[in-house]
Amino acid sequence: MTKEENILTDSFGRKHNYLRISLTEKCNLRCTYCMPESGVLLTPRNQLMNAKEVLEIARLFVKNGVTKIRLTGGEPLLRKDVPEILEGLSNLPVELTITTNAILIDRHIEILKASSLKTINVSLDTLHPEKFNTITKRDQFKKAFDNIELLLQEGFHVKLNVVLLKDFNDTEIIDFIEFTKNKPISVRFIEFMPFDGNSWNKSKLVSYEELLNQVKQNYSSDVLIPLANEENFTARNYKIQGYEGSFGIISSVTNPFCDVCNRIRLTANGKLKNCLFSTSETDLLTSYRKGESIEPIIQEAILKKKAVRSGMNSLEDFEDLMNHNNRSMITIGG
């Protein structure tokens, strides 16, 4: 494949074979790090990708080298046409995954099984119902927890995404690791990242170093086992000897993994983001609806990708980001 044909390779030689597609800006929870307290102005429905457009644009990316697709939101299972989208994507030669808060899993378990999904990421930031209510603004802990158990019973590989916030859930790090003792589950601790409306500041950040120090204070070095990194890893993974599951640390702020990044994001309204932290976006949907080729547009966007986090190299850069107009997390897609 020539450079001209390889439209998903950036100027640093990174090949982007992992596409995250947001299906909706709506959610049935109100997690404070994701949804601004005042809510978000939703994109009018006619400006969002319909199911046919999701599938056809996904096919185009697959034709150009995408081998993994993750469905995100908002809460992707809120889409009424999600069975159609899952069925269509399951026919593509890709690894298909989804990120969900699990509230609606029991309603969709059969279509998830039929769509050949093997791994499902579930956002769960606490193991305590009262804290769950605090961070999500909804009394849905039991529903989410029961549906995580359902996924395990049905043979799915479950990854729990835990956004750590200092003085909120950082005291639960060991509880989450102990949760992996008798369950084949992967817990991924995620550093708190800055997005529009989530009041980010570094005082709330639980860094990679702080987290690992807490782990080492509770587990001796002979039972704390580092696991090999995947080719395009986001999490640095570990397990406790003898435990059925594992845990990892996603340190986008203090210890990034940009040099092996293979991810691009398509928002629910058809905008391509070449980096999660980029304040610029590339409109694919408008050109697609005009019948124009979007491949040159995709290539131009990929070639504009910066080496590190859209040009942010330090914590100070992150603080400066709060003065720019990046989207809130819920309108980007997790």
Side-chain angles (χ1 to χ4, degrees):
M1 183 177 284
T2 67
K3 183 175 181 181
E4 183 178 358
E5 293 172 326
N6 194 356
I7 69 170
L8 297 182
T9 299
D10 68 14
S11 58
F12 303 95
R14 295 173 296 197
K15 297 179 180 179
H16 297 79
N17 62 346
Y18 181 2
L19 175 65
R20 302 170 73 103
I21 304 175
S22 176
L23 296 184
T24 180
E25 299 170 349
K26 296 179 180 179
C27 191
N28 44 7
L29 300 180
R30 293 292 183 271
C31 300
T32 56
Y33 56 82
C34 182
M35 169 81 82
E37 188 173 357
S38 58
V40 295
L41 183 63
L42 296 174
T43 302
R45 185 175 179 180
N46 65 351
Q47 296 177 27
L48 300 175
M49 295 184 293
N50 60 38
K52 181 181 178 182
E53 290 165 340
V54 169
L55 295 175
E56 290 182 350
I57 293 174
R59 288 190 192 101
L60 181 65
F61 275 97
V62 172
K63 185 190 82 169
N64 283 282
V66 162
T67 58
K68 180 176 180 178
I69 292 177
R70 176 178 301 282
L71 299 179
T72 68
E75 172 48 53
L77 296 181
L78 283 173
R79 282 272 300 238
K80 292 181 179 179
D81 55 3
V82 74
E84 177 186 352
I85 293 171
L86 283 169
E87 182 181 6
L89 293 176
S90 70
N91 291 320
L92 298 177
V94 295
E95 177 188 351
L96 181 60
T97 63
I98 191 169
T99 297
T100 174
N101 57 35
I103 305 297
L104 300 174
I105 281 291
D106 53 319
R107 300 185 194 177
H108 295 86
I109 194 71
E110 295 305 323
I111 184 63
L112 292 170
K113 289 162 62 176
S115 300
S116 302
L117 279 88
K118 295 181 173 60
T119 300
I120 294 182
N121 287 35
V122 177
S123 299
L124 184 75
D125 301 305
T126 177
L127 295 171
H128 299 286
E130 64 280 4
K131 282 189 178 182
F132 184 93
N133 296 354
T134 297
I135 198 165
T136 68
K137 314 297 185 186
R138 298 292 185 269
D139 184 13
Q140 294 282 1
F141 177 82
K142 187 177 187 306
K143 187 69 171 176
F145 197 84
D146 287 349
N147 277 337
I148 291 170
E149 294 287 354
L150 175 62
L151 287 170
L152 292 172
Q153 292 167 15
E154 293 290 347
F156 290 97
H157 177 207
V158 176
K159 295 182 178 181
L160 287 189
N161 291 343
V162 183
V163 175
L164 286 178
L165 299 168
K166 189 165 289 185
D167 299 324
F168 177 73
N169 61 353
D170 54 331
T171 57
E172 294 186 64
I173 291 170
I174 304 306
D175 294 338
F176 271 107
I177 293 175
E178 285 300 302
F179 192 58
T180 72
K181 185 172 185 177
N182 299 308
K183 296 182 187 295
I185 203 164
S186 300
V187 173
R188 291 125 56 82
F189 298 109
I190 303 173
E191 289 182 341
F192 181 35
M193 294 177 284
F195 296 100
D196 184 49
N198 74 353
S199 302
W200 184 90
N201 65 68
K202 61 183 179 183
S203 68
K204 299 179 183 178
L205 179 70
V206 182
S207 71
Y208 173 86
E209 183 179 7
E210 289 174 297
L211 193 159
L212 203 53
N213 283 340
Q214 187 177 147
V215 172
K216 289 178 178 179
Q217 288 172 11
N218 285 271
Y219 300 99
S220 62
S221 59
D222 58 329
V223 300
L224 178 60
I225 304 171
L227 301 178
N229 290 328
E230 299 172 354
E231 183 179 359
N232 299 103
F233 69 93
T234 56
R236 293 169 171 88
N237 294 304
Y238 301 84
K239 72 175 299 167
I240 304 303
Q241 185 175 5
Y243 284 27
E244 197 168 350
S246 62
F247 70 95
I249 307 169
I250 299 177
S251 51
S252 303
V253 178
T254 67
N255 196 12
F257 37 82
C258 301
D259 55 335
V260 294
C261 182
N262 66 336
R263 295 155 189 81
I264 44 179
R265 287 172 166 80
L266 187 63
T267 65
N269 61 343
K271 305 291 177 60
L272 183 67
K273 288 181 73 75
N274 63 16
C275 175
L276 178 61
F277 300 110
S278 176
T279 57
S280 63
E281 303 172 350
T282 302
D283 184 2
L284 300 185
L285 187 58
T286 298
S287 296
Y288 178 82
R289 287 180 172 176
K290 291 179 180 178
E292 299 170 358
S293 172
I294 61 173
E295 289 174 294
I297 303 173
I298 294 169
Q299 183 175 38
E300 183 179 0
I302 297 298
L303 288 173
K304 288 180 178 178
K305 184 167 182 170
K306 301 290 182 65
V308 178
R309 293 180 306 201
S310 194
M312 294 181 294
N313 297 299
S314 66
L315 280 176
E316 289 71 26
D317 291 332
F318 272 100
E319 292 174 317
D320 185 56
L321 178 67
M322 302 310 292
N323 299 317
H324 294 78
N325 292 319
N326 194 14
R327 291 179 180 235
S328 58
M329 188 62 176
I330 193 168
T331 63
I332 296 174

